[in-house]
Structure formats: C-alpha cells, structure tokens
C-alpha cells in the first residue's frame, strides 16, 4: 500500500479573525494518482481544506491548527508557501487573482522563467500547452481582456507547465460555458493521465464533474467530513441532497418514477448506469402519467431589439444583427459560448455602450438617445460579483444610494427603501454593515439597490455562480418572486439547470450572433445548436433515449414542470 501524498490526521483550523474553528477533526488520506472531488455547501470549509493543502493557510490566511497535515512528505503547516508550491499547482476560482504576465504567453511562461528554462524550450512548451487549451491564437492578448472561460484556461495552462505532483482545482467550472466545462473536465483527465498527478477538485457542479470518472467524493459540512465514498455509493444515498448538493437530474427523474437507486446500478455516470426493463417501464409510466403544464397567456412587448451591431474596436464586431423582443413579465435566459456577445448585449440594453447600428425600444419608444441615467429608470443591471457593485459600508445606505439622485423627498426615499428591503428579505439587517453578510445576502443587496429604482427590467449576470444548491434555490426563488410581482427578468448564465428550471425561453448566442430564440428545452435538445453554442445536452434527454421515450423533448419538459411543482410544495 503506497503512502498518502496528502494526509490529514485529527486536523483542525481556526482563522485568527474568527471566533470559532472552520475545520474540526479532519481525517483524510489521498493517495498518489487519485482523482478526488470535494463537495459541500457554501461555508462548509471545503475551500479552507484546499487552502491548507496548497499553503495559503496559514501563510496567507493566518490561524491556528491542531493535529497534523502532510503534503508530499512535508509538514505543511510548518513548511513554507514556496516549498509547497513546488509540489502543489493550484487553479483558483477567480483567475484574475492569479495572473502575473502582461500577455497570455508571459503568464503561461512565468513558472518556466523562474526555473530558468532556456528560451527556445520555453517557447515550445508554452505553444504546446496553449494549443492544448485552445489559446494558441491568444498568446499576445492581455489576460484581463479575455472572457471568463478564456481566463480559466490561461490559469489551467499556467499549472500544466509546472511539473507538480498535486493539481488542485478550486471550482474550475465557475465561469465556463457548458461545453467548455466538459472540455475542462476532459483536459483535467488528460493532464492526469499524462503526468500521473494527484488531482483534487472542489466544485458545486457535481453532474458536470462526473462527466469523467473520479475515484472518490469527499462531502464536507460544518467543517467536518460527512462522507468519503466511491461515487456510486454516495449517489445511491441521500447525503448529497440533505447537505445542499444537487444530484444529477437523471437520478432525480428516476426517483420520481419510483426506481430504487442502489450502488450496484452504478448510478454515478449516465453512460454506465444499469437500468432493468422494469426500471425503464417505470420511467415510461411516470412520463405518461404527468401532464405538461399550461403556458401563460402572452403579454405586451416590453423590450424590442432590432438589428443590433456593436464592436469594441474598429474593424471588429462583438455582436452582429441581433433582433428579438421580450414581453412584460417574462423570465428569459441568455446563454451561449464564452465570448459570444451575451455580456455585450446586456451593456447595450443598459446604455453602457452605444451600438454601431440598430435600435432598442422600451414600451415602444426608441431609447437609443437616452442617457445611462434615463435608461436606468427602465433597466437595472446586477453584476456577477456583488463586491464589484457595493460602494457603501452600510446596507441601508447602499440601497438608498441611487434614490439620492432623484427628486424623492427623504420620507419617500425611506418608504421606498423599507419596502424594497422587505421584498428582498433584508429588512431585519437594515442597520447591518455589508461586510457582515454572506455572499448570497450581498447579492440580494445589489438586487435591492437596483430594484429600489423601480425598473421594469432587471438583467443579472450569472446570478447563481459559485452557489451551492441551497443558496442557488434561495436566490432563484427570490428572483421568481420578483418576476411574479411583475418585474421582467433577463439572466446571462452558463447554468443549464437554471435555464431549464426557471426560464421557459432562451436566447442562444454564438460567434456574435443570435442562433435561437425559443424554449429552453428546444435549445438543449437540438444537437446542432448545442454544439454550435457550446451548450450541453441535458442528462434528462439522454435518459429519455435510454428508456425509449419519444419525443425526448416532451419528457424533458414534463420533468421540469413536475420538478418545479415539487419544489414549490416543499
């Protein structure tokens, strides 16, 4: 039996800034060449666990540890960040915080330069790695000018050039479109096979990680290890869902149909799950028994976009000839590959950028000549990271800030802020500092600061990025409540679950153009569109095909409608 390359023994850790420990009595052994997935709800301690492995704890984030932790033969808490970095390569959740070079090529080459690799050899390695992560044409681009997915691939490339024994990935899929996410998981597998490195992945998107096999899944909750098991064993039980981790949708569908999930079925991977003929008949019976929900009546058009074209640089375009309309009270997903023009479209609708050609109408009026302030009376924009939007230390002041530029009296402002805080579930915290809130609560503050202006349309960029299933559901149910109250919601997202579960309609972009304007289910059940826009066919579609159900699109829609009703009644 080989010695563990990572070994926690009765390990605990408490940050100096915290009153209580974050980790308690951790006992975990990871062996050379293993691929281990660490999952857990937000705040469970899994990121702290990762920071202990790569040395950020305690060298960058001071605190006190108990027990022992050995990494690649080193006494990690008493080693050094430099020593550990020679054994552990890390891809952070936020790639912006990891860039060093002024260009992609310089950033990838950084570790090679430190190791004094000769110039010709360095260029060869950088080009080889850049080609593997599809960045060969971006070597002279600035990393910060790239899309979120491209940034993540730069970070991956920077790790790949280092000959380390342990590769640690902290939510590598957070900013990636579904197809690129699949490619990333494939890339991680290819790196491991080539280098025989030990791989540790921390990620919320369980079903996406299980696109390729992992040896074990470690479930962390409340600073403790709740489970350390083979994927088949863990997915056959209830622990994941009980701790706020979304199970793969095909398993939820099988459970709705009354199929008993056992480890012997190999349920962790859809391509290996063993379904009996009786299981398939149960799924068919459930499908025929569930009725498709009625669609709501159409309302008047609120937003109309006509032939919109825009480019950030002369001679280039980032969005070409986009035309669509959104009706009052709709909830619409904007999806597509990284760099397809989704965020550019949002900026144009909000008035942050001026189109080269085309027009935007709100309530039938051309708003092309409006100022950003005038446009903000109709459209509110919520960024992915709430910390980039918040400018006041206190919650009340942050929510009231936009109203200070209006003609409202102090009494009217107070009434408007109170009403908005109550709608957003923040009224009990109205006198709190923003710094005391969780990430999800900060997200609500940013939504409240937009909602208080009474916009007819709210555009959200990745509203659930980095959230566990519990917090994801909280945010989305809150947004659905706003939508039911009459607010039209547009969401830029890479989350196919979100698109299916909460939005009937999807606008799909690829290569600067709008490819599809129709139902979310249609978007995910057309193979050519899925490939063109870097989407991902839902596992429900594949399950329907396994069970011989036609049309598979109808099965997917019925599951979505049924699952929504179940969650509403919980």
């Amino acid at each position: 039996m080989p010695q563990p390359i990572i070994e926690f023994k009765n390990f605990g850790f408490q940050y100096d800034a915290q009153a209580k420990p974050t980790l308690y009595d951790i006992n975990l052994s990871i062996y050379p060449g293993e691929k281990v997935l660490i999952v857990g709800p937000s705040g469970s301690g899994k990121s702290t666990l990762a920071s202990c492995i790569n040395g950020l704890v305690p060298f960058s984030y001071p605190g006190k540890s108990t027990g022992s932790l050995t990494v690649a033969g080193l006494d990690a808490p008493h080693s050094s960040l430099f020593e550990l970095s020679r054994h552990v390569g890390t891809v952070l959740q936020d790639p912006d915080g990891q860039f060093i070079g002024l260009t992609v090529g310089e950033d990838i080459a950084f570790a090679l330069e430190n190791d004094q690799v000769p110039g010709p050899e360095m260029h060869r390695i950088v080009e080889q790695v850049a080609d593997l992560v599809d960045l060969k044409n971006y070597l002279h681009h600035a990393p910060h000018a790239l899309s979120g997915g491209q940034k993540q691939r730069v970070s991956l490339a920077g790790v790949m050039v280092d000959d380390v024994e342990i590769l640690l990935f902290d939510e590598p899929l957070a900013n990636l479109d579904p197809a690129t996410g699949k490619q990333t998981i494939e890339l991680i597998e290819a790196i491991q096979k080539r280098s025989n490195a030990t791989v540790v992945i921390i990620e919320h998107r369980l079903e996406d990680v299980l696109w390729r096999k992992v040896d074990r899944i470690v479930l962390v909750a409340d600073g403790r290890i709740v489970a350390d098991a083979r994927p088949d064993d863990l997915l056959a039980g209830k622990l994941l869902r009980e701790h706020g981790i979304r199970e793969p949708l095909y398993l939820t569908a099988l459970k709705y149909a009354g199929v008993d999930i056992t480890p012997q079925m190999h349920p962790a991977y859809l391509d290996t799950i063993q379904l009996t003929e009786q299981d398939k008949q149960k799924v068919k019976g459930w499908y025929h028994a569930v009725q498709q929900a009625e669609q709501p009546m159409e309302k008047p058009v609120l937003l109309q976009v006509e032939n919109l074209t825009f480019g950030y640089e002369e001679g280039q375009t980032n969005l070409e000839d986009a035309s669509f309309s959104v009706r009052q009270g709709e909830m619409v997903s904007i999806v597509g590959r990284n760099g397809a023009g989704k965020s550019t479209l949002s900026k144009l609708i909000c008035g942050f950028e001026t189109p080269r050609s085309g027009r935007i109408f709100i309530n039938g009026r051309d708003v092309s000549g409006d100022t950003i302030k005038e446009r903000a009376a109709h459209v509110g924009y919520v960024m992915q990271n709430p910390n980039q939007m918040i400018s006041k230390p206190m919650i009340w002041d942050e929510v009231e800030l936009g109203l200070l530029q209006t003609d409202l009296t102090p009494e009217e402002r107070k009434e408007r802020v109170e009403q908005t805080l109550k709608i957003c579930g923040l009224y009990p915290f109205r006198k709190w500092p923003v710094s005391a809130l969780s990430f999800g609560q900060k997200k609500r503050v940013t939504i409240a600061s937009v909602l208080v202006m009474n916009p007819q349309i709210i555009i959200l960029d990745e509203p659930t990025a980095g959230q566990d299933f519990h917090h994801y559901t909280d945010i989305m149910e809150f947004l659905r409540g706003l939508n039911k109250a009459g607010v039209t919601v547009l969401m830029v997202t890479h989350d196919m679950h979100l698109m299916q579960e909460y939005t009937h309609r999807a606008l799909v972009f690829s290569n600067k153009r709008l490819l599809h304007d129709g139902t979310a289910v249609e978007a995910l059940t057309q193979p050519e569109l899925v490939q063109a826009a870097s989407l991902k066919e839902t596992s429900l579609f594949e399950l329907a095909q396994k069970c011989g159900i036609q049309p598979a699109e109808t099965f997917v829609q019925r599951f979505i409608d049924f699952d929504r009703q179940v969650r509403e009644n919980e």
Side-chain angles (χ1 to χ4, degrees):
M1 186 72 177
Q3 291 294 312
I5 193 168
I6 301 170
E7 187 170 31
F8 292 86
K9 286 186 177 179
N10 303 317
F11 186 84
F13 181 78
Q14 180 175 337
Y15 292 100
D16 285 345
Q18 299 290 337
K20 295 180 180 179
T22 300
L23 298 177
Y24 300 86
D25 197 29
I26 301 294
N27 287 284
L28 174 65
S29 296
I30 298 175
Y31 293 89
E34 276 196 300
K35 186 197 291 183
V36 176
L37 171 61
I38 300 178
V39 298
S42 298
S44 63
K46 60 186 185 301
S47 291
T48 299
L49 204 64
S51 295
C52 292
I53 294 172
N54 63 21
L56 289 178
V57 166
F59 302 110
S60 293
Y61 309 126
K64 298 176 182 177
S65 62
T66 57
S68 65
L69 167 59
T70 305
V71 176
L74 299 172
D75 180 1
H78 301 99
S79 183
S80 71
L81 196 56
F82 175 74
E83 271 189 296
L84 286 167
S85 71
R86 302 192 71 84
H87 300 276
V88 184
T90 305
V91 176
L92 298 174
Q93 179 180 356
D94 176 16
D96 283 309
Q98 200 162 347
F99 294 142
I100 298 295
L102 296 177
T103 67
V104 169
E106 288 179 9
D107 201 81
I108 295 173
F110 180 71
L112 300 175
E113 289 179 316
N114 283 339
D115 291 339
Q116 298 182 328
V117 174
E121 177 70 2
M122 185 187 305
H123 283 287
R124 185 189 66 78
I125 295 172
V126 168
E127 288 191 7
Q128 181 181 18
V129 172
D131 188 42
L132 189 59
V133 296
D134 197 23
L135 286 173
K136 198 167 185 178
N137 294 328
Y138 294 88
L139 287 174
H140 299 292
H141 287 59
H144 294 285
L146 302 180
S147 70
Q150 290 167 332
K151 289 177 181 178
Q152 194 71 282
R153 280 181 272 165
V154 174
S155 297
L156 276 168
V159 167
M160 289 169 60
V161 299
D162 246 342
D163 187 21
V164 293
E165 301 141 85
I166 301 165
L167 296 172
L168 179 61
F169 297 89
D170 186 2
E171 297 200 33
L173 309 182
N175 299 309
L176 304 182
D177 62 55
T180 307
K182 285 173 61 175
Q183 294 166 8
T184 298
I185 294 301
E186 292 168 354
L187 181 58
I188 291 172
E189 182 178 62
I191 294 168
Q192 185 187 33
K193 286 182 177 178
R194 188 183 68 183
S195 63
N196 199 34
T198 303
V199 171
V200 179
I201 304 172
I202 297 171
E203 182 56 63
H204 287 295
R205 290 161 59 174
L206 177 64
E207 183 173 336
D208 292 329
V209 176
L210 294 181
W211 171 246
R212 287 291 182 263
K213 289 179 171 54
V214 301
D215 296 301
R216 291 150 56 199
I217 300 177
V218 177
L219 174 59
V220 182
D222 298 321
R224 302 177 188 275
I225 292 180
V226 177
D228 179 358
R230 296 185 310 117
D232 284 333
D233 293 329
L234 198 55
L235 270 79
K238 299 178 181 179
L239 277 175
L240 289 171
R241 191 171 184 89
E242 287 174 354
H243 288 88
I245 306 301
R246 180 196 295 275
E247 66 186 1
L249 289 184
Y250 64 87
L251 290 182
T252 305
L254 289 170
K255 290 176 182 178
Y256 284 158
V259 176
D260 185 27
I261 308 298
T262 65
Q264 291 71 32
M265 294 171 65
H266 302 296
Y269 310 97
L270 187 56
D271 60 343
T272 60
I273 190 169
Q274 297 173 6
L275 298 176
T276 65
E277 191 58 37
Q278 184 180 10
D279 293 333
K280 294 177 182 178
Q281 290 303 320
K282 284 183 178 180
V283 175
K284 287 182 179 179
W286 175 84
Y287 162 69
H288 290 297
V290 174
Q291 297 300 312
Q292 192 162 322
E294 294 183 8
Q295 298 305 318
M297 292 180 61
E298 287 190 344
K299 294 183 179 180
V301 171
L302 173 60
L303 170 69
Q304 188 169 351
V305 172
E306 290 186 355
N307 309 113
L308 215 59
T309 296
F310 174 79
Y312 291 102
E313 297 179 9
E314 194 67 33
Q316 295 184 348
T317 56
N318 298 84
L319 187 69
E320 296 179 3
D321 199 31
S323 297
F324 62 89
S325 60
V326 176
R327 295 181 180 274
Q328 292 178 11
E330 276 199 284
M331 202 167 183
V332 180
S333 288
I334 302 174
V335 301
R337 65 171 70 241
N338 290 107
K342 305 184 299 295
S343 295
T344 298
L345 173 66
S346 301
K347 293 174 184 177
L348 290 167
I349 294 173
C350 292
F352 301 153
E353 301 287 354
T354 302
R356 289 182 183 171
S357 61
R359 296 187 296 175
I360 298 172
F361 296 85
I362 297 178
N363 288 321
R365 186 178 71 85
D366 189 343
V367 297
S368 301
D370 287 3
T371 64
I372 292 177
K373 180 181 177 182
E374 290 169 333
R375 195 80 63 91
H378 305 284
V379 184
Y381 182 69
V382 180
M383 299 173 70
Q384 177 177 338
N385 186 346
N387 296 317
Q388 293 177 337
M389 286 186 69
I390 294 170
S391 58
K392 293 290 185 179
M394 305 302 292
I395 292 173
W396 182 282
D397 295 339
E398 179 63 30
V399 176
E400 187 186 28
L401 182 60
L403 296 179
L404 298 178
Q405 307 302 316
T406 67
D407 296 329
L408 295 178
T409 66
E411 291 75 18
E412 289 171 329
R413 292 201 304 268
K414 179 182 178 183
E415 182 180 351
R416 183 87 70 86
V417 172
E418 285 184 347
Q419 181 184 16
T420 304
L421 289 172
K422 288 175 182 177
I423 291 172
C424 296
L426 293 168
Y427 189 72
F429 312 109
R430 60 193 180 279
K431 296 182 180 179
W432 282 33
V434 174
S435 60
L437 300 181
S438 68
F439 185 90
Q441 289 170 324
K442 288 180 181 178
K443 196 91 167 181
R444 290 195 181 204
V445 170
T446 59
I447 295 171
S449 67
V450 168
L451 190 64
V452 77
M453 305 300 292
N454 283 343
Q456 296 167 283
I457 303 166
I458 290 183
I459 302 175
L460 301 106
D461 189 3
E462 295 287 356
T464 59
Q467 299 292 297
D468 62 42
F469 188 40
H470 173 72
H471 291 89
Y472 161 99
T473 303
D474 278 352
I475 289 173
M476 289 312 303
E477 290 300 323
F478 164 64
L479 290 174
R480 190 163 67 170
L482 293 182
N483 181 241
K484 287 182 177 179
V487 179
T488 301
V489 179
L490 305 182
M491 291 180 289
V492 177
T493 184
H494 289 313
D495 191 331
M496 299 297 95
H497 292 158
L498 180 156
M499 181 176 78
Q500 287 182 124
E501 293 170 344
Y502 288 95
T503 63
H504 177 68
R505 182 171 163 220
L507 302 173
V508 182
F509 287 83
S510 181
N511 296 326
K512 313 167 192 175
R513 290 186 172 272
L514 176 62
L515 296 187
H516 171 83
D517 179 358
T519 70
V521 170
E522 288 170 350
L524 295 182
T525 53
Q526 297 180 27
E528 290 183 3
L529 179 62
V530 166
Q531 182 175 4
S534 290
L535 305 180
K536 178 176 178 285
E537 285 184 344
T538 171
S539 60
L540 298 168
F541 184 75
E542 297 176 50
L543 176 63
Q545 292 179 317
K546 269 184 174 286
C547 295
I549 296 173
Q550 293 293 338
E553 295 90 336
T554 307
F555 174 81
V556 175
Q557 189 63 61
R558 290 187 184 179
F559 169 86
I560 292 167
D561 295 338
F562 183 84
D563 185 59
R564 184 178 295 130
Q565 291 174 1
V566 169
R567 287 184 286 110
E568 284 179 352
N569 295 328
E570 285 180 345

